């Protein structure tokens, strides 16, 4: 396993990390993801650690807290071998104190996560969304309190817009408060919006990408192809509307190239899609999930090898879409690369 620095921090994370969204199985959405119990989770953690996957990601909203509880059971007795990432901000109940990133909410959310996980500190604590109703200075001051108390080690954000992330970073610098070193983002071969603004921001500000749903919300499994019905066992039947939108023609074009490269390399479609992401600028770690051992081992096969330049170029071309304004005029004219890092 390759280990990378998480943004401009001293924290080393594995190139692949494990997403515990399939743990617990409570609620309509998360039960469709998976219903892994503690016994099954321990086995998945065993396999992950054997492969060098040391970072495990969850959130307080996953299965109404059951994901954290199951993960806590699965890592019991080996806390020193793992890094734990969790998130808060999204609503966990109907009350006014059950959502957001206000001081009281963040402190109670962290205490709740620590209790459910059965640990005394969180290695990476991320805000699950931007809270526009709370001043960023209050949010950062609350995180500073939690860092100083030893309850969290590093802080990050998730699903922020560029201006939201930059405003938070500027406030952190201005007041000497904890700086976000991670941004948990959606990024895949069928969802490259991250590249337009957030990737250049990450390069400039030292914020590492923690990638969620790298297989396009289950669309790059190798089971979905042009002219074929959605497989009966696909979770897309129940969850498609909750995930990122994907243009069908872009999807099919990408899958056609993935199939070609799979034949050339002897790798699976998901392994190729994951390997492409691992070559992208700012990407610190890619979160993979798994309902069972076989799926996990397949995903772990995405590391230890590399696509060649021609294969990457073909995937880039197949997955390219028109950039949004204000980027598209300069991309079309080829001028953007002259004033931005070539990696972008």
């Amino acid at each position: 396993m390759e280990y990378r620095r998480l943004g401009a921090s001293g924290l080393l994370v594995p190139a692949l990390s494990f997403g515990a969204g399939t743990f617990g199985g409570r609620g309509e959405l998360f039960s469709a993801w998976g219903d892994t119990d503690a016994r099954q989770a321990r086995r998945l953690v065993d396999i992950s650690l054997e492969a060098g996957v040391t970072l495990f990601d969850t959130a307080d909203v996953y299965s109404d807290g059951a994901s954290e509880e199951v993960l806590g059971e699965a890592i019991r007795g080996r806390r020193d071998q793992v890094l734990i990432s969790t998130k808060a901000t999204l609503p966990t109940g109907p009350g006014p104190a059950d959502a957001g990133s206000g001081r009281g909410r963040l402190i109670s959310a962290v205490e709740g996560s620590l209790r459910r996980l059965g640990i005394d500190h969180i290695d990476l604590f991320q805000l699950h969304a931007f809270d526009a109703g709370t001043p960023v200075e209050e949010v950062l001051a609350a995180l500073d309190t939690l860092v100083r108390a030893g309850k969290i080690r590093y802080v990050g954000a998730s699903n922020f817009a560029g201006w939201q992330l930059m405003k938070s970073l500027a406030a952190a610098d201005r007041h000497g408060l904890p700086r976000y070193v991670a941004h948990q983002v959606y990024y895949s071969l069928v969802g490259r919006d991250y590249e337009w603004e957030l990737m250049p921001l990450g390069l400039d500000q030292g914020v590492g990408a923690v990638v969620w749903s790298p297989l396009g919300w289950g669309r790059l499994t190798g089971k979905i192809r042009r002219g074929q019905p959605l497989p009966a066992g696909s979770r897309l039947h129940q969850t498609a509307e909750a995930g990122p939108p994907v243009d069908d023609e872009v999807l099919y074009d990408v899958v056609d190239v993935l199939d070609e490269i799979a034949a050339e390399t002897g790798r699976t479609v998901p392994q190729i899609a994951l390997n492409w992401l691992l070559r992208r600028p700012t990407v610190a770690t890619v979160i993979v999930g798994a309902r069972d051992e076989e799926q996990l081992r397949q995903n772990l096969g995405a590391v230890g090898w590399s696509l060649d330049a021609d294969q990457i170029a073909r995937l880039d071309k197949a997955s390219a879409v028109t950039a949004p304004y204000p980027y598209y005029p300069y991309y079309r004219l080829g001028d953007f690369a002259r004033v931005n890092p070539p990696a972008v």
Side-chain angles (χ1 to χ4, degrees):
M1 181 60 62
E2 176 190 356
Y3 296 88
R4 304 172 174 188
R5 291 199 179 275
L6 182 60
S9 82
L11 181 61
L12 289 173
V13 296
L16 294 180
S17 49
F18 186 93
T22 55
F23 290 4
R26 291 182 192 165
E28 183 177 355
L29 174 62
F30 292 102
S31 62
W33 281 15
D35 59 357
T36 302
D37 61 23
R39 179 189 61 80
Q40 295 165 326
R42 278 193 292 272
R43 181 57 184 152
L44 295 177
V45 171
D46 288 343
I47 295 169
S48 297
L49 291 176
E50 288 170 4
V53 174
T54 54
L55 176 60
F56 297 83
D57 179 75
T58 182
D60 59 359
V61 296
Y62 293 172
S63 290
D64 297 326
S67 173
E68 290 181 327
E69 293 170 357
V70 172
L71 178 58
E73 287 291 328
I75 65 167
R76 183 170 295 177
R78 44 188 173 179
R79 176 65 180 94
D80 60 340
Q81 300 177 45
V82 302
L83 297 170
I84 298 298
S85 163
T86 193
K87 302 178 285 294
T89 296
L90 298 179
T92 56
D98 295 329
S101 300
R103 182 178 182 84
R105 160 67 173 158
L106 288 183
I107 291 173
S108 64
V110 166
E111 290 174 346
S113 290
L114 290 173
R115 183 177 63 255
R116 288 186 292 273
L117 287 160
I119 58 179
D120 64 0
H121 72 274
I122 295 162
D123 298 287
L124 175 62
F125 181 72
Q126 298 164 99
L127 304 183
H128 217 157
F130 184 74
D131 178 359
T134 302
V136 295
E137 292 82 2
E138 178 181 336
V139 176
L140 295 168
L143 295 174
D144 184 56
T145 297
L146 291 162
V147 170
R148 291 176 183 275
K151 295 183 179 181
I152 58 180
R153 298 280 173 86
Y154 293 91
V155 296
S158 181
N159 303 320
F160 277 33
W163 73 266
Q164 295 165 345
L165 182 55
M166 193 63 243
K167 181 177 182 178
S168 301
L169 293 169
D173 291 344
R174 187 165 58 249
H175 298 289
L177 295 169
R179 219 170 183 275
Y180 300 142
V181 298
H183 191 193
Q184 190 165 143
V185 297
Y186 169 59
Y187 188 25
S188 77
L189 270 167
V190 290
R192 295 178 60 181
D193 295 337
Y194 169 73
E195 297 175 5
W196 307 129
E197 182 166 298
L198 294 170
M199 181 185 284
L201 192 160
L203 284 167
D204 181 69
Q205 293 293 313
V207 180
V210 178
V211 177
W212 62 265
S213 207
L215 298 180
W217 203 254
R219 291 177 173 87
L220 298 177
T221 61
K223 300 177 182 177
I224 299 176
R225 289 183 170 82
R226 192 189 312 271
Q228 297 183 14
L230 194 65
S234 172
R235 63 182 172 92
L236 287 168
H237 289 287
Q238 298 168 272
T239 67
E241 292 186 0
V246 174
D247 180 89
D248 285 344
E249 286 307 309
V250 173
L251 170 63
Y252 298 143
D253 288 346
V254 168
V255 171
D256 287 344
V257 178
L258 287 169
D259 281 338
E260 294 172 5
I261 296 174
E264 296 166 8
T265 61
R267 303 287 178 175
T268 67
V269 164
Q271 288 170 350
I272 295 165
L274 293 170
N275 192 273
W276 178 86
L277 277 172
L278 292 171
R279 310 275 77 80
R280 307 305 289 175
T282 74
V283 171
T285 186
V286 173
I287 300 172
V288 296
R291 297 186 187 186
D292 53 45
E293 293 185 30
E294 180 182 357
Q295 188 178 29
L296 176 56
R297 292 187 189 281
Q298 282 289 322
N299 287 336
L300 293 173
V303 297
W305 60 281
S306 295
L307 295 163
D308 66 32
D310 174 70
Q311 292 163 343
I312 292 172
R314 286 152 57 195
L315 288 169
D316 289 349
K317 181 178 180 180
S319 61
V321 296
T322 300
Y325 177 82
Y327 308 106
Y328 72 83
Y330 310 109
Y331 272 97
R332 285 178 175 173
L333 294 172
D335 293 336
F336 189 80
R338 297 179 63 183
V339 293
N340 284 271
V344 177

